[in-house]
Amino acid sequence: MAPQDRYLTLLTSLPAHGPLFGAKQTPLSRLRLRKRLAWLEPEDSEDLTRLAAATDWHRQRFDVDDEAVVQQAEQAIAQIHNAFTRDLAGWRLELRTVVAALRRRRAGEPAPSGRRKWGFGRWVPHIARHWTEPHFRLERVYPWLPEAKRLMDDGDPLGLERLLLGAVWTHLERIGAGHEFDFEAVIVYVTRWDLVARWTRYDADAALARFDALLETALTGVDLDLAA
C-alpha cells in the first residue's frame, strides 16, 4: 500500500477530537492509538518518537537540569527528518523556555549568563537582555504572555495550564491547515491527543484536590467518632 493510501486509512480510522476543554476523556485509548500508529512508515515512526523525546513535559524539566535537558532536546530535534515535525518540536520548546524564564525570575533568579545553556531556541539571548522587562518584550510574539505572568503571580496553576495548553492547541490549528491525510496530519492528531490526555488528567486531579480541600474545610471542628 502506498504511503498516502496508508495514511488516508490511518487517519479515517481515528475518531475526531472535540474541543480541548470540553473533553472528559481522550477520543480513543492510548493502546488503541498505538495500534493505529503501527501503520506509520518506519522513518515517520522514528520522527514521532523523537518528537515525544524532545517535548515530553513530564520527563524534561528546564528548572532542574536545564543544560542537560537542552542538549538532549537539541540532539533529538536534529535527528528529526520531517521539517514540519522538527519545527513543531522547536516551537514547543521555545514556549517552554519563555515560561521557564518567568518562573526563574519570579523565584528571584538573576538574568542567566551566556556561559550555561538554560533554554532552547532563538529567544534565549533576547530574554537575558530584557530580563527586567515584565514580558521580556515578547508579548507581540506570544500574545498570551501577559496573562501567563498574571496567572503565575496569582498562584493559579490550573489557569496557567489551561492557558498554555490552549496556546499549543491554537498553534496546531494554524499549522495543521491544509494537512488532512498525510504524516503532518498524524503529528497534529497525536499532539492534540496528548493535550487532551494531559488536560483531562490535570483537570481530574485538580477537581479531586478541590474536593478534598472542601471536605477538610467542612469537617473542621467536627469530632468524628470512628467507633460509632
Side-chain angles (χ1 to χ4, degrees), residues 56-206:
D56 191 305
W57 292 66
H58 297 285
R59 288 184 296 173
Q60 299 198 4
R61 299 174 57 192
F62 283 157
D63 59 333
V64 175
D65 191 3
D66 48 11
E67 188 166 20
V69 167
V70 171
Q71 291 176 346
Q72 179 183 349
E74 289 176 343
Q75 292 171 0
I77 290 176
Q79 294 174 348
I80 295 176
H81 300 94
N82 180 268
F84 180 94
T85 308
R86 191 167 54 247
D87 290 345
L88 176 59
W91 183 88
R92 294 195 69 183
L93 289 175
E94 287 183 339
L95 179 149
R96 291 192 63 200
T97 294
V98 174
V99 175
L102 284 177
R103 290 196 175 107
R104 286 172 172 272
R105 190 180 61 190
R106 189 168 184 273
E109 295 187 25
S113 68
R115 294 189 301 273
R116 178 180 173 86
K117 289 186 177 181
W118 64 272
F120 178 92
R122 56 191 156 160
W123 302 118
V124 169
H126 177 95
I127 290 171
R129 287 196 305 271
H130 301 287
W131 189 253
T132 59
E133 297 289 335
H135 313 116
F136 311 116
R137 294 190 182 180
L138 286 175
E139 52 267 47
R140 288 190 176 182
V141 180
Y142 301 111
W144 47 264
L145 192 52
E147 179 66 5
K149 180 181 182 302
R150 184 191 69 78
L151 291 168
M152 194 178 294
D153 290 343
D154 290 347
D156 185 356
L158 180 60
L160 181 60
E161 181 84 355
R162 183 184 180 104
L163 178 71
L164 296 176
L165 292 180
V168 178
W169 189 272
T170 300
H171 182 70
L172 290 170
E173 289 181 343
R174 183 179 64 80
I175 66 174
H179 294 285
E180 295 183 1
F181 302 113
D182 53 14
F183 175 58
E184 289 78 4
V186 175
I187 288 295
V188 170
Y189 186 95
V190 173
T191 306
R192 282 178 169 170
W193 188 98
D194 286 336
L195 295 179
V196 172
R198 182 173 179 182
W199 172 251
T200 53
R201 182 174 59 248
Y202 192 102
D203 195 33
D205 291 344

Side-chain angles (χ1 to χ4, degrees), residues 5-19:
D5 296 330
R6 179 187 295 267
Y7 288 161
L8 173 62
T9 302
L10 166 61
L11 286 159
T12 54
S13 75
L14 296 172
H17 287 295

